[in-house]
Amino acid sequence: SVPKPSSLSVSSLLAKKNNKVLLCETHDRFSTEIIRNGVGKDGQVFDGIWYSGLTQTTYLGVPDVELISPLQRASLLALNGDLKRTTNGRPLCAAFDADSGGNIGEIPALVTLLSLVGIGMVIVEDKALTAPGQKVNSLAATSGTQGQADPDEFAGLIRAFKAASTGRDILTTARIESFTCRIAKSDPVEEKESCEKAMEDALHRAKTYYAAGVDAIMIHSKSKSPDEVIQFLHKYRAFDPHTTLVVVPTSYSATTKESLYAAGANVIIYANHLMRAKITAVGPISDKVLAQNPDLFIDDKEALACIQARNYGCLLRKLRERSYWGEE
Ligand code: SPV
Ligand code: MG
């Protein structure tokens, strides 16, 4: 029989924690244990996991372009034994990054599967995906080249997620990309106008998605300053005091949690921090290991040259040629 996940629901955590919930991405059991056991100076803990498209695909060694559909990613989570994430230690809630939602016909299966593996929040972004594999990550330098979905059509997608979630404890969340899909202008007057237009567009979309019945709204930004997000939070809160608001302080990571909560945010997601930290850390370590163990290659000037050039492809070829790795 399928083990029953004992994760906490996002909605009950919001109620229990005064509408302030903290999530962090994890991409393997080890990183999950790190966030489960981490305690901040103020005694604050992570409430749950963000199943990030970026870090899940990076872990698999493929780009974050939505070549693997949300249903395929959810299936991989279900199959890799992730159900066990809550069976020992402190239970964590979980939110799933559903990219642009995938095939509309697969939404009932996607929501059912997410619910089965104990996920309490599904987040769908309003990017216009022209074909599988055409998504641009929101923080990529080229994110301004990605168009946004028509807001009314996207509202239809939200309704499909809501319909599939009936009777399930899973919050449908609309993610607004008006700030990340904007192309920055070099002229200051044009730049100001473009920012104002993006704000207007973001607010219009939020109200449209609210009318479609979303449970939560996420506002994303790639600005190093939190200003546009904070302004959006204040403006949206003046219209609707209740809907759960979600933010992702990656590019504006110096901003405190308190200032985001004070502006009206309810869920803060640290979206790819552990994977980014891992990538930054392992490169220099592997360089060091190679640099400190040159004896193996003492007479092998070609392999040494590959090491000195930090050319891993060249080094792997030399290792294979010399059968250091035995027969393949
Ligand atoms: C992810 O973590 O996959 C996200 C957040 O979607 S971001 O990478 O900032 O777009
Ligand atoms: Mg993503």
Side-chain angles (χ1 to χ4, degrees), residues 50 52-54 64 97 125 137-139 175 220 248 250 271-272:
W50 163 240
S52 151
L54 175 66
D64 179 29
D97 176 0
E125 64 200 26
N137 178 275
S138 307
L139 303 181
R175 164 172 164 174
H220 206 4
V248 180
T250 304
N272 13 81

Side-chain angles (χ1 to χ4, degrees), residues 300 302-303 306 313-324:
D300 193 332
E302 286 177 26
C306 301
C314 150
L315 178 61
L316 291 180
R317 272 195 306 280
K318 296 291 167 206
L319 293 174
R320 288 210 176 90
E321 272 168 31
R322 284 139 177 78
S323 297
Y324 287 130

Side-chain angles (χ1 to χ4, degrees), residues 166-180:
T166 309
R168 301 183 192 281
D169 190 359
I170 186 161
L171 302 178
T172 298
T173 307
R175 164 172 164 174
I176 297 174
E177 296 286 330
S178 309
F179 298 143
T180 66

Side-chain angles (χ1 to χ4, degrees), residues 237-309:
R237 271 283 169 256
F239 161 76
D240 162 22
H242 300 301
T243 299
T244 297
L245 294 178
V246 185
V247 294
V248 180
T250 304
S251 55
Y252 55 100
S253 59
T255 309
T256 63
K257 298 187 272 298
E258 289 64 33
S259 60
L260 293 167
Y261 287 137
N266 306 115
V267 179
I268 301 180
I269 302 180
Y270 292 92
N272 13 81
H273 296 57
L274 300 193
M275 179 59 91
R276 284 173 189 268
K278 185 190 257 183
I279 291 169
T280 311
V282 296
I285 295 287
S286 72
D287 286 350
K288 214 166 156 184
V289 169
L290 287 173
Q292 283 173 354
N293 293 286
D295 302 3
L296 180 61
F297 312 109
I298 202 86
D299 295 314
D300 193 332
K301 294 205 169 29
E302 286 177 26
L304 266 176
C306 301
I307 294 172
Q308 276 150 7

